[in-house]
Amino acid sequence: MTSDAPWRLFRGDGVPRGVDHLPPAPPWRRFGDGPRSGTSAAPYLISPGHADVVNAALHLRRPLLVTGQPGTGKSSLARAIAHELQLGEVLHWPVNSRSTVSEALYRYDAVGRLRETALNRDQEREEPPIGTFVRLGPLGTAMVPRPRPRVLLVDELDKGDVDLPNDLLTVFEEGEYEIPELARLPEDQSMADVLSADPDTRVTVTRGRVRCDEFPVVVITSNGERDFPPAFLRRCVRLELPPPDSRRLRQIVLAHLGEEAAADVEDLLDDFLRRQQRGGLATDQLLNAVFLRAGGVDLDVDGLLEAVLHRLGGTI
């Protein structure tokens, strides 16, 4: 493959060339005014048995705890449920070591309120309402009362503090929470309009208490990095997603990239499955490789396939 191959946009020789536009992005990496990245209209492929577990969680109004290796479609399942049941945009709570339930419920900007109050007093203007300084988080927004539930994705709960699962139990069991800063307001200020996790959307909170009408559809993902408390597990419906086999991989490629891209993937499938036996590969890495080949990229040159199908764990 020569260095001036059409797919080589960057050649590393320091010569400015410029491009009018980049080639089309993969469907799962397109942004703009359309669906968010990762919300492609491609169908989510799941076995009937696994779909029944999802249905059990829906009927029982229990959180669905989804485990499996990275790249098996755990997070995408939440978006698939929201899409099929037409429950709106998924509320996403990505958990890390500093995550707390209180921040996932709401945040109160006390410093901002003091600053704005002082500024308005100096200019003899009316003080802004306290609700201006309260913003509900993804968990708090999911608990807002509405006729139809929202889907809440609690992503990678096992990355959080060891006490985080137990802290969630009270909210999940009671179906409500309190915002003390609003609960302390006088009777004539019992209703406050606050910001939600949805862009440019406000909701009304009465007496500082939020209680759901319908329990949200909660999808909790875990990579199995640590165990959860028995009390937490008892309140969840558990679903383990296995790595897809060869047949399922072909279906995934076809669903995301179409028949033309899926027509010549046998060698990539074989290589992916061989590497997968050593662990640490995700399905979207295969999709990346197929997409590049369909775009005319020679995956056999300069270790490009090795770069695309690299292991996700272990020493790099």
Side-chain angles (χ1 to χ4, degrees), residues 44-238:
Y44 183 85
L45 301 177
I46 187 172
S47 71
H50 292 155
D52 286 345
V53 177
V54 175
N55 284 307
L58 293 173
H59 282 278
L60 294 172
R61 307 303 200 272
R62 288 291 187 183
L64 180 68
L65 176 58
V66 187
T67 59
Q69 297 178 9
T72 51
K74 300 186 297 296
S75 301
S76 299
L77 177 57
R79 300 182 181 96
I81 295 172
H83 173 72
E84 285 197 21
L85 302 186
Q86 297 185 333
L87 297 178
E89 194 75 40
V90 172
L91 294 163
H92 186 202
W93 177 21
V95 175
N96 58 53
S97 60
R98 300 178 302 278
S99 296
T100 64
V101 170
S102 60
E103 289 188 348
L105 289 173
Y106 78 97
R107 293 191 179 191
Y108 171 57
D109 185 5
V111 174
R113 187 187 182 199
L114 286 173
R115 183 176 59 249
E116 288 295 318
T117 298
L119 181 62
N120 281 274
R121 285 176 179 172
D122 292 342
Q123 299 180 358
E124 298 183 348
R125 294 186 304 186
E126 185 178 352
E127 295 182 14
I130 187 174
T132 305
F133 305 98
V134 177
R135 180 182 289 275
L136 305 185
L139 175 58
T141 302
M143 303 298 292
V144 170
R146 53 176 62 87
R148 289 167 57 79
R150 292 290 296 276
V151 176
L152 171 66
L153 171 60
V154 183
D155 216 1
E156 298 190 330
L157 181 62
D158 47 351
K159 293 188 180 300
D161 183 81
V162 66
D163 293 325
L164 188 60
N166 281 333
D167 293 341
L168 277 169
L169 287 182
T170 300
V171 180
F172 286 163
E173 289 301 291
E174 300 297 331
E176 65 178 11
Y177 65 96
E178 184 182 71
I179 304 176
E181 292 83 358
L182 301 182
R184 292 193 293 262
L185 295 176
E187 186 65 33
D188 61 347
Q189 301 179 40
S190 61
M191 301 180 69
D193 290 334
V194 304
L195 295 167
S196 74
D198 294 314
D200 304 319
T201 302
R202 291 180 176 269
V203 297
T204 301
V205 177
T206 304
R207 303 298 306 168
R209 184 165 294 277
V210 179
R211 182 179 179 84
C212 64
D213 288 334
E214 279 285 346
F215 187 75
V217 179
V218 181
V219 177
I220 302 172
T221 72
S222 168
N223 291 328
E225 295 181 3
R226 63 177 175 83
D227 296 330
F228 294 120
F232 176 79
L233 294 176
R234 180 169 60 86
R235 291 166 171 84
C236 295
V237 175
R238 301 183 64 178

